[in-house]
Amino acid sequence: MALSYQSTRGKENGVTASQAVLKGLAEDGGLFMPSEIPTLPIPMKELAGMSYQETAYEVMKLFLTDYTEEELKDCIARAYDSKFDTEEIAPLAKAGGMYFLELFHGKTIAFKDMALSILPHLMTTAAKKNGVDKEIVILTATSGDTGKAAMAGFADVPGTRIIVFYPKGGVSKVQELQMRTQKGDNTSVVAIHGNFDDAQTGVKKLFGDKEFAKELAHKGFQFSSANSINIGRLVPQVVYYVYAYAKLLENGEIEDGEIINVTVPTGNFGNILAAYFAKHMGVPIGRLICASNENKVLYDFFATGTYDRKREFILTNSPSMDILISSNLERLIYLSAGWDAEKNASLMADLSRTGEYAITEEMKKNMESFTGGFATQEEDGAMIRKLFKEVGYLMDTHTGVAAAVYQQYKEKTGDTAKTVIASTASPYKFSRSVMEAIGGPRETEDEFALIDEMSRLSGVPVPQAVEEIRTAPIRHNRECDVDGMKAEVRDILGI
């Protein structure tokens, strides 16, 4: 039977891949999941000789089963091209006994580029396949990186508009400038007076507003999502974990079949879930180390089996992880409940009603490959400083959290398996915090003076993505309260 998609909450089944990509979120509020996680039919030795683009096709064709070979290869070729500053697309850097999977070589210097470079092509192809005659409105909440990467991907793509909500004061200066200077007649950015969870909840409410959907349809619009709740975001992320293992094998760093661990700095849970998918496809991955900052809701969940978002929201220097409602965790809950949509829907209802839920012992057992850890801001800074001083490798604050958590895990368990760390952003995205960590000058208020000093100290050239915003005009000035998000969407769309 051909692979299809169904909602994690049970009300939609038999949905094609292209329909799931177009919809983004299921009508019952659930997330689309494949009817099975396919097994990689190609041995790792064969994958080891493949380019990133070839690997992407071999992985993605197993999930996106109603896209033709020509359609999928065209989407991949358009996505992974000279927008990336390295032919490898996702190179592995070995530093301090760790392997950093550098996912920040795309147009906006963050890992979101890996999926958001291809999503617009998957979506416009899906629209043609399904005879969509409405303008697709991409509605997205961002904790900093998704917004810019999504806008860069969808800018001036015919038949689409994109509206991004971000927490005012809750992203780095570079992240904010990247969004507010974004070109494209179809792009809009709104700062909300609240945190990322408020933005994400607001967007989900708009998706679930049936009357608003009817009104939009009447005016010729339909919503879709570029957040990691969209399966078209998750599937491309699986690719780079397959690719990382194949490259380790090709480079002689591991033996064929050798078990590796993966550590991921985690906020909305999509990136580490992609590694879990890769593991279930047959990639020899042992532990999945889920690294949190001081907003350690996921660490507490893996330790106790209770997910409790009723806690203080802490603003840190790793803002893309400042999240208390990790949307993609729902997919793991669904899987660990034995693909039981009713059980999952009940737990999600508990979360919505009471702010928490508790999983069963059996579900916990089904999550045994996950280990949680967290690092404080001080531990994060110390790790960035240590690696830079010892081997000259500079990483951002999110990757610093992951490296610190991995070192804690290694010391605690004695597990010496080779470990891939997802390096999710260029240090230049968080220049002030990184400079503070490595002991650089902090007197200046000028972000770009800090950036230039970082380049001088590290010998790493300032990325083009940062140079572009140095003198770019501000194009977006909208802001609103959380309860004003719907009115902003109406105003932007002129309805």
Side-chain angles (χ1 to χ4, degrees), residues 447-464:
E447 197 76 24
F448 291 98
L450 274 176
I451 282 164
D452 291 336
E453 182 61 16
M454 184 191 288
S455 181
R456 190 190 67 76
L457 273 176
S458 66
V460 178
V462 179
Q464 186 58 33

Side-chain angles (χ1 to χ4, degrees), residues 56-64 72 76 118 122 235-236 239:
Y57 176 70
E58 294 301 334
V59 173
M60 291 172 69
K61 73 178 184 183
L62 303 175
F63 290 97
L64 305 178
L72 191 49
I76 288 165
I118 195 167
L122 294 175
V235 169
V239 173

Side-chain angles (χ1 to χ4, degrees), residues 97-207:
M98 297 169 273
Y99 298 89
F100 292 91
L101 180 60
E102 293 186 346
L103 302 171
F104 54 78
H105 289 275
K107 202 171 180 181
T108 75
I109 58 174
F111 83 102
K112 306 295 172 79
D113 289 324
M114 300 300 296
L116 284 164
S117 292
I118 195 167
L119 182 62
H121 304 294
L122 294 175
M123 203 170 271
T124 50
T125 302
K128 281 182 204 152
K129 290 175 82 67
N130 289 278
V132 170
D133 57 357
K134 294 180 180 64
E135 197 165 9
I136 298 166
V137 179
I138 307 298
L139 201 61
T140 290
T142 186
S143 53
D145 287 334
T146 286
K148 170 62 182 178
M151 283 193 291
F154 281 94
D156 292 325
V157 170
T160 70
R161 298 216 202 168
I162 177 159
I163 304 169
V164 170
F165 292 95
Y166 75 93
K168 188 175 182 181
V171 299
S172 80
K173 182 70 175 169
V174 169
Q175 286 175 313
E176 184 174 44
L177 280 172
Q178 282 188 307
M179 287 189 279
R180 293 185 64 202
T181 58
Q182 176 64 48
K183 295 174 185 173
D185 291 339
N186 63 337
T187 65
S188 298
V189 188
V190 186
I192 68 148
H193 307 142
N195 59 40
F196 169 73
D197 288 332
D198 296 324
Q200 182 168 249
T201 300
V203 163
K204 282 187 173 178
K205 274 185 185 165
L206 288 170
F207 269 106

